[in-house]
Structures are given as structure tokens and as C-alpha cells.
């Protein structure tokens, strides 16, 4: 049995899930002598939920990771994990001062995902992504000149990231021509009424939505569609498809087709029980299928994992991880939004929220991870208070004033 004395927990990745896992684990095990080390390439926390804002030239708050970790006792190492040796329980890390080897007793894999630019030729060299702040800032640097010339930005992908990016670009730069290219109708996960509101908002913002667009290649001056047609653009934003870096697969852990670690019911690797996986890097199965990577699901996996580690060190077995979705919030610029409330299996309910009330709700949700980080430094918030838990459907919650029924 594991013992808490000097137990070494190593967390790879300081995104929403990684930071939550590190902070909560430290709070739960430090009295028993456990130690937590957090590894991340950057020394700043990236609010990926807001990178579409950064890409339009808006300024975001600057969150130093060491400030978020203040008072936790966590050791922060700025560097990039380059290899995992599961047989030796150690990770090679490349830092500014050279290579280091960090040992662990328990590893939490939280390196997240990146946009998959390998599926279409030219996407990796000619398209902008929202994988990190530097990529978003690169686009922001070009937009003033493109907008001044009445140029075009093509956003590829009709998922929520693509919709939010297109709306933000159009609202922030009225002189810009924004085209949203999608195989099907944008935001297909929303209910009919909420999706109708979203489409009207995009039309009001001047976003040209083109469905049935199968992209065959990304070019320096636009994209080429299947069949040979070219759509000219001064900049291309790629938001479709995700993949997980090959760190876990290269180490011999069992992964799925996207590179995510396949986990058991307690979020441990099915092939290497000393490794937990959280957030986008985990293939977490529930009764309704594999949980898709979002902040909404990532933070609960981190909270659960921290508690599972503490329970096992105390000689107890955790129950299975159970998660149910609550909503799909979508910003439509800074002054509009739509929030689709969902069943636990992520299918839409009748209820949705729009306009200023939806903006306030979305902003509250977007800021809640930072609030949770700060509270977790001092308090172990009960897990049941932080996410819905259940099977494929959850009972409807009472709806406050301002909510709309379809």
C-alpha cells in the first residue's frame, strides 16, 4: 500500500486541469508529508477560454503561475516534459538551464491538447491557431493592417471555438470581412432555438457563414476547397480538430486514436496505474460515451484525481468518477452570448439564455476556474459541490429569473 510520507506527486501541465489537480492534491496530502511538483513550459497561466479575445487585440489579465501557487507548498518547474520513463518513474524535463530528471511516485498527466493542423496540407504552416497566447498574439499583430485594407479572415471550423472567434473578430474589427467555413451548420450541439439565435447574431455581426465547405488545403493567401475552388483570405484561423502530444504514447501508455490516455473508472491509466490522466489528455468513459475535453469537464477530473490520490494514500479506494454536463456557453463578442443548458449527456434541454444575461453568465463561468484555484489553496471544497455527477441524464435544475424556455 502507498504511504503519504514523502510521497512524490508530479503534475505535468498547468492548464485549468493541471493547476486544479496540483493545488488540490497539495492541500490534501501535505499534512502527511506528501510533496507536489508542477511542470509547465510557460511561467504564466493561459486562459484558453479567452484566447479569441487576445487574438483581436484585447488585453487579458496576467496570471503568474507562482502567484497562483502561493502558500500551497508546490514546487514549480518551468520546462517542457520531453520523455516519461514509467519503469523508473521519472520524467525528463527540458528547462532554460538544461535537462533535468524529476522522479515521482504518482504522475498526473495534464498536458492538454492542441489544434490538429496535420489533417489538411498547409494548415500547420499557413494557419493561426489558439493553442497558446503567442499564437493568438501573432494574429492580433496582423489584424490592424488587414482591417484597414478591408481584408478577409477565414475561420475554419463551425464548432464553438470557431463561432466565438468569428464573432469576436467581426465585432472588434468592423472593417474586417469574416468568413466562417464549416462542413455543417455551426454549433450543431445547441438546440434549435438557441442555434437560431446564434445564427442571427452572426448575421448581425456581418459574419459570412459558408456551410458544406470541405477544406482541401490552406494556402498563404486563403484556402482551397474540395473540388478546386479557392476562398481568398489575408489570414486563416484553424479551429477544427484536436490532438494530444505524443508524450504518453511514446512512453508506452495505452492511448486512443487522438493520443489521450485511456483511463479506468478512477482516472488511472489502464496500463500504468501510477499514472492518472485529467483534462483534454484523458479518454474518460461514461455511460453516454467518452467525455470531450472542455474546462467544464477538465476541472472535475482534476478535483476527483486529487481526492483519489489522497484516499489511496490513506488506504481507501475511491468510487468511480461520474460526470454530467450542465451547459454550453458561447460568447458572441463582448455584448452578446447564448447559453444552452444540457442534460448530463450533453444533449440540449429546452432551456437557454441569451443577450446580456447570457454574457453575465458566460463571464462568471469563465472566471470561476481562477476563483477555484484561489479557494483550493486554503480549503478542500467538497467535490460534490464542484460538478454534476450522474449518468446519461440529470434531473432539471430550478431555473432562475431570466432563463428562456424553447
Amino acid at each position: 500500500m502507498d504511504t503519504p510520507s514523502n510521497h512524490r506527486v508530479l503534475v505535468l501541465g498547468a492548464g485549468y486541469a493541471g493547476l486544479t489537480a496540483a493545488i488540490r492534491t497539495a492541500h490534501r496530502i501535505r499534512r502527511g508529508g506528501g510533496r507536489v511538483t508542477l511542470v509547465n513550459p510557460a511561467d504564466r497561466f493561459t486562459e484558453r477560454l479567452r484566447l479569441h479575445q487576445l487574438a483581436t487585440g484585447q488585453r487579458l489579465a496576467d496570471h503568474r503561475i507562482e502567484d497562483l501557487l502561493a502558500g500551497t507548498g508546490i514546487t514549480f518547474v518551468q520546462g517542457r516534459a520531453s520523455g516519461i520513463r514509467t519503469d523508473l518513474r521519472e520524467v525528463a524535463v527540458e528547462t532554460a538551464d538544461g535537462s533535468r530528471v524529476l522522479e515521482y511516485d504518482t504522475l498526473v498527466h495534464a498536458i492538454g491538447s492542441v489544434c490538429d493542423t496535420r489533417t489538411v496540407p498547409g494548415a500547420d504552416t499557413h494557419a493561426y491557431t489558439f493553442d497558446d497566447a503567442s499564437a493568438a498574439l501573432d494574429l492580433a499583430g496582423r489584424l490592424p493592417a488587414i482591417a484597414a485594407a478591408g481584408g478577409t479572415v477565414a475561420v475554419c471550423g463551425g464548432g464553438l471555438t470557431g463561432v466565438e472567434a468569428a464573432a469576436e473578430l467581426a465585432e472588434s474589427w468592423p472593417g474586417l470581412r469574416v468568413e466562417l467555413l464549416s462542413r455543417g451548420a455551426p454549433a450543431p450541439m445547441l438546440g434549435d432555438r438557441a442555434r437560431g439565435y446564434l445564427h442571427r447574431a452572426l448575421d448581425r455581426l456581418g459574419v459570412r457563414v459558408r456551410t458544406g465547405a470541405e477544406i482541401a488545403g490552406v494556402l498563404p493567401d486563403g484556402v482551397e476547397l474540395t473540388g478546386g475552388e479557392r476562398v481568398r483570405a489575408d489570414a486563416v484561423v484553424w479551429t477544427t480538430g484536436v490532438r494530444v502530444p505524443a508524450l504518453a504514447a511514446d512512453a508506452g501508455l495505452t492511448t486512443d486514436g487522438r493520443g489521450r490516455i485511456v483511463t479506468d473508472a478512477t482516472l488511472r491509466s489502464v496500463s500504468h496505474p501510477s499514472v492518472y490522466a485529467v483534462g483534454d489528455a484523458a479518454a474518460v468513459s461514461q455511460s453516454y460515451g467518452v467525455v470531450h475535453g472542455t474546462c467544464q469537464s477538465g476541472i472535475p477530473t482534476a478535483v476527483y484525481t486529487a481526492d483519489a490520490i489522497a484516499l489511496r494514500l490513506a488506504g481507501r479506494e475511491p468510487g468511480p468518477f461520474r460526470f454530467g454536463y450542465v451547459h454550453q456557453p458561447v460568447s458572441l463578442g463582448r455584448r452578446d452570448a447564448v447559453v444552452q443548458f444540457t442534460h448530463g449527456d450533453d444533449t440540449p434541454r429546452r432551456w437557454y439564455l441569451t443577450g446580456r444575461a447570457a454574457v453575465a453568465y458566460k463571464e462568471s463561468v469563465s472566471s470561476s476556474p481562477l476563483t477555484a484555484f484561489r479557494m483550493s489553496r486554503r480549503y478542500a471544497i467538497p467535490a460534490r459541490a464542484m460538478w454534476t455527477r450522474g449518468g446519461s441524464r440529470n434531473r432539471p435544475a430550478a431555473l432562475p429569473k431570466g432563463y428562456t424556455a424553447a
Side-chain angles (χ1 to χ4, degrees), residues 20 84 204 210 249-250 259 265 278 312 331 349:
T20 302
I84 301 172
R204 172 178 52 80
R210 180 164 181 171
D250 290 346
V278 299
R312 285 191 164 113
S331 64
R349 294 186 185 276

Side-chain angles (χ1 to χ4, degrees), residues 134-182:
S134 63
L137 287 170
D138 286 345
L139 176 60
R142 286 198 59 202
L143 286 178
I146 296 174
T152 299
V153 174
V155 179
C156 302
L160 300 189
T161 301
V163 168
E164 290 192 330
E168 202 77 41
L169 287 163
E171 181 184 80
S172 299
W173 297 94
L176 196 66
R177 180 183 175 90
V178 180
E179 298 209 22
L180 179 60
L181 307 177
S182 177

Side-chain angles (χ1 to χ4, degrees), residues 15 35 57 73 84 106 108 115 120 153 171 202 244 256 263 266 272 345 347 354 370:
R35 295 174 292 164
I84 301 172
T106 296
V108 180
C115 193
V120 171
V153 174
E171 181 184 80
L202 292 177
V244 176
D256 69 1
T263 67
T266 64
H272 296 78
D345 61 358
T347 55
T354 61
L370 292 169

Side-chain angles (χ1 to χ4, degrees), residues 7-304:
H7 190 89
R8 299 161 302 180
V9 178
L10 180 59
V11 181
L12 303 182
Y16 296 102
L19 264 175
T20 302
I23 293 171
R24 190 175 177 93
T25 301
H27 186 87
R28 295 296 305 271
I29 73 171
R30 63 185 172 186
R31 289 185 180 179
R35 295 174 292 164
V36 177
T37 300
L38 176 64
V39 176
N40 194 66
D43 65 346
R44 259 65 178 174
F45 171 69
T46 299
E47 292 187 82
R48 288 191 70 174
L49 293 176
R50 297 185 182 274
L51 286 181
H52 59 287
Q53 294 175 241
L54 190 63
T56 62
Q58 299 173 50
R59 296 188 64 180
L60 302 183
D62 183 20
H63 302 288
R64 294 179 69 250
I65 291 175
E66 289 188 335
D67 291 341
L68 295 173
L69 299 179
T72 63
I74 295 170
T75 299
F76 175 60
V77 176
Q78 185 179 351
R80 184 178 300 277
S82 58
I84 301 172
R85 286 288 303 273
T86 56
D87 54 338
L88 299 177
R89 293 197 180 187
E90 63 182 31
V91 175
V93 179
E94 303 302 321
T95 74
D97 298 323
S99 299
R100 295 183 58 181
V101 174
L102 301 178
E103 298 177 332
Y104 67 86
D105 298 300
T106 296
L107 179 67
V108 180
H109 189 279
I111 63 171
S113 62
V114 294
C115 193
D116 193 353
T117 57
R118 304 174 305 175
T119 56
V120 171
D124 57 343
T125 54
H126 302 308
Y128 293 92
T129 66
F130 294 153
D131 288 337
D132 53 41
S134 63
L137 287 170
D138 286 345
L139 176 60
R142 286 198 59 202
L143 286 178
I146 296 174
T152 299
V153 174
V155 179
C156 302
L160 300 189
T161 301
V163 168
E164 290 192 330
E168 202 77 41
L169 287 163
E171 181 184 80
S172 299
W173 297 94
L176 196 66
R177 180 183 175 90
V178 180
E179 298 209 22
L180 179 60
L181 307 177
S182 177
R183 290 190 184 97
M189 67 293 294
L190 303 185
D192 291 342
R193 300 262 182 115
R195 190 167 59 251
Y197 181 90
L198 180 146
H199 288 182
R200 291 191 295 274
L202 292 177
D203 185 61
R204 172 178 52 80
L205 289 167
V207 176
R208 182 188 177 192
V209 177
R210 180 164 181 171
T211 59
E214 191 76 32
I215 299 171
V218 180
L219 311 171
D221 59 351
V223 299
E224 181 177 348
L225 305 182
T226 301
E229 181 185 354
R230 293 194 175 189
V231 178
R232 189 194 173 282
D234 299 280
V236 176
V237 178
W238 193 262
T239 69
T240 180
V242 296
R243 64 178 177 86
V244 176
L247 185 68
D250 290 346
L253 282 83
T254 299
T255 58
D256 69 1
R258 294 184 181 178
R260 299 176 296 187
I261 295 175
V262 179
T263 67
D264 64 13
T266 64
L267 304 190
R268 293 194 299 186
S269 162
V270 295
S271 58
H272 296 78
S274 64
V275 179
Y276 290 80
V278 299
D280 294 3
V284 179
S285 293
Q286 297 287 278
S287 60
Y288 48 82
V290 176
V291 175
H292 57 77
T294 65
C295 177
Q296 181 182 178
S297 59
I299 289 179
T301 63
V303 170
Y304 172 91

Side-chain angles (χ1 to χ4, degrees), residues 372-398:
F373 296 156
R374 296 184 178 108
M375 292 185 68
S376 294
R377 289 186 302 192
R378 305 185 68 176
Y379 310 104
I381 305 170
R384 63 181 177 273
M386 300 188 73
W387 77 91
T388 61
R389 302 161 67 193
S392 61
R393 310 284 276 193
N394 290 333
R395 287 193 304 173

